[in-house]
Amino acid sequence: MTGFAKDFPILAQKVYGKRLVYLDNAATTQKPNSVIDTISDFYKTDYSNIHRGVHYLSERSSERYEKTREKVSDFIGARNSSEVTFTAGTTDAINQVARSLEPSLRGNEVLVTGVEHHSNIVPWQMAEAKLKAIPMDEDCNLLLDSVDITDKTKLVAISHVSNVLGSVNDIKEITEIAKDHDVPVLVDAAQSIQHLPLDVKDIDCDFLVASGHKMYASTGAGVLYTNDRFSDLMPAKGGGGMVDKVSLEKTTYQEPPLRYEAGTPHIAGIISMGASIDYMQKIGLEKIEKHENDVYSYARDRLLEMDNVTVYGNTTRMCGSISFNLDQVHHYDVGLMMDKMGVAVRTGHHCAQPLMESLTIEGTVRASFALYNTKEDVDRLIEGIEKVEMMYT
Ligand SMILES: *Cc1c(COP(=O)(O)O)cnc(C)c1O
């Protein structure tokens, strides 16, 4: 194993007699030793419930939990750690925002893009908002001159990076346009937080959401950044920990962040996000970006060279995921055969059916990259595709 893969014990294994090449990172990333050890050590030494007890372990757990909040807050460039709420993940975070904003969304419109993940579509529909998409060209570049914000637009909710195409949307520009109309902006950073440096102050968004498990940390842990302009939203969830005073007649709520954190969270999972941020920062975000960009560009170039392969999307900036199809072979069959060659890719609609519809396809093969992938992994992918093609021609 070369490069950063040595930090990820799961990648040392062989599958079907071959070194595992894991290219399903947009679905979830593997965990480095430091994250695994943090979770294990936390249960061995500090575990208890947080913000509840005065006893030793509870204090230690609370302290580590709150330190993680500081770390996440710094990592995304928040002004204040009270703007960072821990959630169960991106889906949970978006659902919470939808619930909180529901009174203003109902019967109105949310502006999205045509590349959104279902979790940035369905919650808005459940809040009875109508979705409108920013138009895009045939390469899937957003046409920002055609952004149509009306009196009915109550929120702009856009992914930073597409989990299907790897297209990077110009969220700063979109936020600027939205701000001209006084419309709040939510950024779905599930596919960018692990690849690109983020700064919510610079983006100037109102909400930003991400999942721990896609940034080398645990499942069941996520981030909801809420600009302190929204410090008095109706909490989406009620329960223990988020209240100031409760009587049977009336309840008053805490200030953020606790206001938005009802019930016992996934404490170890959330603390593991601190360990994954430490891991990434130790390598350096710029170094990660550069390395990933080299591998990604190499993969794209090699795929584009292939005669019977269609690659989807071609935007000014791209990272993370590449979607493609072979002319002769169904995506599902490609995935199955690649698996037997030890290469893990994803096939299907990738929770983005509206995008599939606009590309007039049912699904794609998706290779998605993380910091531990290398050009050798790309070579294995390409070799695999060549073998699949030979079997079918
Ligand atoms: C994965 C993903 C989500 C949903 O994240 P969960 O961790 O499954 O809640 C939302 N948006 C994008 C762009 C994603 O890639």
Side-chain angles (χ1 to χ4, degrees):
M1 271 191 301
T2 52
F4 306 117
K6 65 177 183 331
D7 299 333
F8 293 76
I10 204 169
L11 299 175
Q13 71 188 292
K14 290 189 168 179
V15 295
Y16 311 109
K18 309 203 176 55
R19 177 180 68 86
L20 167 67
V21 172
Y22 184 79
L23 297 176
D24 193 17
N25 295 288
T28 199
T29 54
Q30 301 300 345
K31 320 305 171 199
N33 277 314
S34 61
V35 166
I36 298 168
D37 292 347
T38 295
I39 295 170
S40 165
D41 291 346
F42 174 67
Y43 281 121
K44 286 179 192 161
T45 59
D46 293 339
Y47 175 72
S48 179
N49 210 332
I50 51 164
H51 303 144
R52 310 279 200 275
V54 292
H55 59 79
Y56 184 76
L57 287 183
S58 177
E59 299 249 307
R60 296 251 310 215
S61 289
S62 303
E63 197 182 306
R64 292 192 65 179
Y65 187 85
E66 289 307 321
K67 273 225 172 90
T68 306
R69 197 190 305 280
E70 301 273 333
K71 208 167 269 177
V72 171
S73 170
D74 287 347
F75 192 62
I76 61 170
R79 265 171 225 89
N80 195 313
S81 65
S82 65
E83 294 174 312
V84 171
T85 305
F86 291 123
T87 68
T90 302
T91 306
D92 180 39
I94 297 177
N95 275 275
Q96 288 193 43
V97 176
R99 187 90 203 275
S100 290
L101 298 182
E102 186 165 347
S104 74
L105 298 181
R106 203 178 293 126
N108 285 310
E109 291 171 1
V110 175
L111 187 65
V112 294
T113 74
V115 303
E116 298 309 325
H117 189 282
H118 293 165
S119 61
N120 194 26
I121 295 175
V122 185
W124 311 122
Q125 290 170 333
M126 291 171 77
E128 292 177 46
K130 255 181 86 167
L131 295 178
K132 275 204 332 206
I134 299 173
M136 52 187 184
D137 66 17
E138 57 188 25
D139 288 331
C140 299
N141 286 294
L142 296 185
L143 299 172
L144 296 184
D145 291 340
S146 314
V147 171
D148 182 22
I149 294 180
T150 68
D151 289 348
K152 297 215 111 195
T153 315
K154 299 299 172 196
L155 181 73
V156 175
I158 38 166
S159 50
H160 191 184
V161 176
S162 157
N163 68 309
V164 181
L165 309 170
S167 52
V168 180
N169 294 321
D170 189 346
I171 44 173
K172 215 179 145 179
E173 173 84 27
I174 296 168
T175 305
E176 222 161 85
I177 299 169
K179 290 282 135 109
D180 283 345
H181 295 81
D182 263 336
V183 175
V185 176
L186 176 140
V187 173
D188 174 352
Q191 297 296 345
S192 60
I193 194 166
Q194 68 282 55
H195 298 303
L196 309 171
L198 283 181
D199 187 327
V200 289
K201 283 192 299 301
D202 183 49
I203 302 164
D204 199 23
C205 54
D206 300 284
F207 305 96
L208 182 133
V209 297
S211 293
H213 71 97
K214 291 179 179 175
M215 52 183 285
Y216 313 107
S218 172
T219 51
V223 179
L224 164 57
Y225 160 83
T226 305
N227 191 308
D228 61 18
R229 283 192 286 263
F230 290 90
S231 61
D232 57 353
L233 283 179
M234 177 69 184
K237 297 177 180 181
M242 50 77 75
V243 295
D244 174 33
K245 201 164 182 340
V246 182
S247 73
L248 293 184
E249 288 74 41
K250 182 178 155 54
T251 292
T252 52
Y253 310 123
Q254 293 258 23
E255 295 292 309
L258 297 186
R259 181 185 185 89
Y260 304 131
E261 288 181 4
T264 303
H266 182 7
I267 305 166
I270 283 158
I271 285 172
S272 80
M273 283 197 286
S276 78
I277 289 174
D278 286 343
Y279 177 75
M280 286 189 278
Q281 284 179 331
K282 208 166 145 205
I283 298 172
L285 268 283
E286 275 166 27
K287 195 164 165 194
I288 292 173
E289 195 184 352
K290 185 180 177 311
H291 167 73
E292 288 190 348
N293 198 30
D294 284 350
V295 175
Y296 186 88
S297 310
Y298 178 65
R300 222 182 127 72
D301 289 347
R302 300 245 13 219
L303 282 166
L304 286 170
E305 273 167 17
M306 301 184 87
D307 281 338
N308 303 312
V309 172
T310 306
V311 180
Y312 300 100
N314 178 25
T315 59
T316 330
R317 219 177 145 199
M318 309 190 84
C319 74
S321 300
I322 304 180
S323 264
F324 58 92
N325 269 316
L326 275 60
D327 292 350
Q328 317 278 352
V329 197
H330 193 269
H331 51 85
Y332 181 70
D333 296 323
V334 179
L336 276 182
M337 285 185 273
M338 298 295 292
D339 174 55
K340 294 290 181 290
M341 297 183 248
V343 180
V345 291
R346 184 76 148 216
T347 69
H349 58 61
H350 317 293
C351 297
Q353 285 179 349
L355 173 60
M356 295 300 124
E357 202 173 306
S358 68
L359 296 170
T360 60
I361 52 177
E362 271 173 32
T364 71
V365 184
R366 179 184 70 187
S368 56
F369 298 87
L371 59 82
Y372 38 71
N373 292 120
T374 58
K375 289 187 182 172
E376 290 80 67
D377 292 351
V378 175
D379 291 338
R380 287 274 304 277
L381 170 75
I382 302 294
E383 260 168 51
I385 297 169
E386 282 167 352
K387 274 193 198 148
V388 172
E389 278 190 329
M390 272 183 333
M391 281 186 255
Y392 273 80
T393 47

